[in-house]
């Protein structure tokens, strides 16, 4: 394990070590149910700057701040009539709410978007929650990867990105969802900023009102940059066969016999495809393939989020 000396197993003494490092202003990786996050004290400008530096992330791309519960969010943000309704149904879970920050909040202004509003999430992963419960500050935690690259869904993926440049990676095994959270802007009329596991239809059903797509050029949440989620080799959409020296990601059983085929889901499960997407893209790049071709994915349910990520990966 010497090679991976900064990957910690999910035991109590290591959780305490992680908490201690976060209190000291260090930045490291924690598992969520969606993808692994690069976490640091959201009250600290120093920790937040460190996150941006490690990720080589543009300053205009805001960070999601992770809280333990609704009360913790309400302590830092102005009252919002939609928050409690959505929180009751979907949180803790894979959803992020964009809200107005209170003037007296101690949250670092470096996490805010171009409208000076804040993206807030309450993760459901038991390890992230254990860490949050022991801290008296929320955690800024974008995905634990280099900017524009594929998000990590395992501790080894994070190590692949940062090696020993971060002091800890808390190992929570492979993430259960595999795609980043849905993001909804609750300032003004509710607007969907990023699709995810929780769909526009589900949000509309709970709010009993139509949700529109945000039509601003401003970056109001992560996942809005044109190029994102890139494996570092070309990605071709809606393909039936791989390109020369490339591999293919299949959705459903295929008669294609080449060794350069990888299954998102043999049974055409969109949830399974979401869980496998990033790890397979990463694997194909490591195996030396020069491009990735992808079958067409149904544009429904979490398939909308899958297609969003693939479209940005193909830019």
């Amino acid at each position: 394990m010497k090679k991976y000396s900064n990957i910690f197993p999910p035991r109590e003494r290591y959780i305490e070590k992680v908490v201690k490092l976060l209190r000291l202003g260090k930045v490291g990786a924690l598992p969520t149910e969606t993808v692994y996050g690069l976490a640091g004290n959201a009250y600290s400008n120093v920790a937040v700057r460190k996150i941006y530096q490690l990720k080589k992330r543009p300053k205009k791309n805001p960070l999601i701040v992770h809280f333990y519960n609704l009360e913790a969010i309400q302590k830092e943000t102005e009252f919002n009539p939609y928050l409690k309704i959505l929180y009751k149904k979907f949180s803790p879970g894979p959803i992020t709410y964009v809200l107005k920050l209170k003037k007296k909040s101690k949250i670092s202004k470096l996490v805010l978007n171009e409208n000076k509003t804040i993206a807030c999430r309450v993760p459901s992963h038991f390890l992230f929650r254990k860490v949050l419960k022991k801290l008296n500050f929320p955690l800024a935690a974008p995905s634990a990867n280099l900017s524009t690259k594929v998000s990590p869904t395992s501790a080894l993926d994070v190590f692949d990105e940062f090696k020993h440049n971060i002091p800890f990676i808390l190992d929570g095994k492979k993430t259960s969802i595999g795609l980043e959270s849905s993001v909804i802007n609750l300032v003004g009329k509710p607007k969907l900023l990023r699709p995810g596991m929780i769909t526009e239809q589900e949000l509309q059903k709970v709010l009993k009102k139509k949700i529109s797509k945000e039509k601003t050029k401003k970056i109001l949440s992560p996942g809005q940059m044109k190029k994102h989620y890139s494996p570092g080799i070309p990605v071709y959409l809606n393909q039936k066969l791989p390109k020369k020296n490339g591999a293919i990601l299949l959705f459903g059983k295929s008669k294609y016999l080449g060794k350069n085929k990888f299954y998102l889901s043999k049974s055409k499960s969109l949830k399974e495809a979401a869980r496998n997407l990033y790890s397979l893209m990463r694997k194909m790049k490591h195996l030396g393939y020069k491009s990735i071709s992808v079958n067409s994915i149904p544009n429904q349910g979490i398939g909308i989020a899958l297609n969003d990520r693939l479209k940005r990966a193909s830019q």
Side-chain angles (χ1 to χ4, degrees):
M1 270 304 278
K2 181 75 175 151
K3 185 183 174 186
Y4 305 121
S5 58
N6 58 343
I7 297 181
F8 298 166
R11 295 202 282 273
E12 202 58 43
R13 69 186 177 104
Y14 290 107
I15 292 168
E16 288 296 343
K17 189 173 179 179
V18 164
V19 168
K20 189 177 178 182
L21 288 166
L22 286 164
R23 284 184 185 137
L24 290 170
K26 304 293 184 186
V27 168
L30 297 173
T32 82
E33 68 279 19
T34 56
V35 297
Y36 276 67
L38 190 65
N41 182 351
Y43 289 162
S44 164
N45 285 337
V46 173
V48 172
R49 276 199 193 96
K50 185 75 174 167
I51 292 170
Y52 276 104
Q53 285 164 2
L54 283 162
K55 281 178 65 68
K56 299 182 175 147
R57 187 182 180 98
K59 293 289 188 290
K60 68 175 182 180
N61 197 4
L63 307 184
I64 292 174
V65 178
H66 293 64
F67 297 84
Y68 182 68
N69 56 20
L70 178 64
E71 290 69 32
I73 293 178
Q74 288 173 328
K75 182 185 160 196
E76 307 292 346
T77 61
E78 290 183 11
F79 172 79
N80 187 285
Y82 306 115
L83 176 61
K84 208 168 183 177
I85 300 165
L86 291 172
Y87 185 94
K88 193 175 177 183
K89 176 71 178 173
F90 299 118
S91 295
I95 184 166
T96 296
Y97 311 104
V98 174
L99 301 159
K100 278 188 180 177
L101 193 68
K102 282 181 179 172
K103 284 193 172 77
K104 63 178 182 179
S105 172
K106 292 192 288 183
I107 298 266
S108 167
K109 303 303 180 282
L110 300 175
V111 306
L112 304 182
N113 61 32
E114 291 184 68
N115 275 0
K116 305 299 178 200
T117 49
I118 182 174
C120 307
R121 180 160 111 80
V122 176
S124 64
H125 196 289
F126 77 101
L127 284 175
F128 205 123
R129 293 189 62 69
K130 266 191 168 185
V131 170
L132 278 171
K133 195 172 184 183
K134 292 172 185 286
L135 295 170
N136 61 353
F137 50 83
L139 291 170
S143 54
N145 58 305
L146 295 171
S147 187
T148 78
K149 301 302 182 192
V150 174
S151 297
T153 56
S154 73
L156 285 176
D157 288 350
V158 181
F159 187 85
D160 187 38
E161 295 284 305
F162 296 109
K163 304 296 189 283
H164 289 98
N165 292 326
I166 54 176
F168 68 85
I169 303 166
L170 189 58
D171 191 355
K173 306 298 181 214
K174 190 174 178 181
T175 60
S176 60
I177 293 174
L179 289 184
E180 303 81 0
S181 62
S182 308
V183 181
I184 184 167
N185 186 3
L186 297 181
V187 180
K189 288 180 182 174
K191 297 176 198 74
L192 194 65
L193 299 179
R194 178 173 73 185
M197 182 77 157
I198 295 163
T199 65
E200 187 179 332
Q201 287 73 23
E202 289 176 286
L203 293 164
Q204 286 179 167
K205 192 176 173 185
V206 173
L207 286 178
K208 298 184 172 63
K209 69 188 301 164
K210 191 161 175 59
I211 291 170
S212 57
K213 299 280 193 306
E214 186 72 73
K215 286 178 181 166
T216 175
K217 288 187 178 175
K218 287 183 177 181
I219 304 293
L220 301 183
S221 89
Q224 290 188 291
M225 308 285 275
K226 198 173 179 184
K227 184 185 176 185
H228 213 342
Y229 318 112
S230 168
I233 52 177
V235 175
Y236 300 100
L237 308 182
N238 305 315
Q239 304 294 309
K240 291 185 177 173
L241 292 168
K243 307 283 185 189
K244 187 183 176 185
N245 299 323
I248 188 157
L249 272 175
L250 299 166
F251 185 72
K253 287 181 181 172
S254 170
K255 290 179 181 175
Y256 177 70
L257 297 173
K259 288 184 178 177
N260 55 343
K261 66 177 180 182
F262 299 83
Y263 280 101
L264 283 169
S265 173
K266 282 187 182 178
S267 64
K268 291 194 171 185
S269 160
L270 287 168
K271 285 184 179 178
E272 184 184 16
R275 200 160 53 243
N276 290 332
L277 177 66
Y278 290 153
S279 56
L280 286 176
M281 287 169 88
R282 199 176 278 273
K283 185 177 182 180
M284 292 154 106
K285 167 85 187 306
H286 282 328
L287 288 172
Y289 292 108
K290 301 303 178 194
S291 69
I292 298 171
S293 297
V294 191
N295 279 174
S296 61
I297 309 283
N299 206 41
Q300 61 194 47
I302 197 171
I304 294 168
L306 265 166
N307 283 316
D308 169 74
R309 306 309 192 267
L310 283 165
K311 185 182 173 186
R312 293 176 197 275
S314 71
Q315 294 296 325

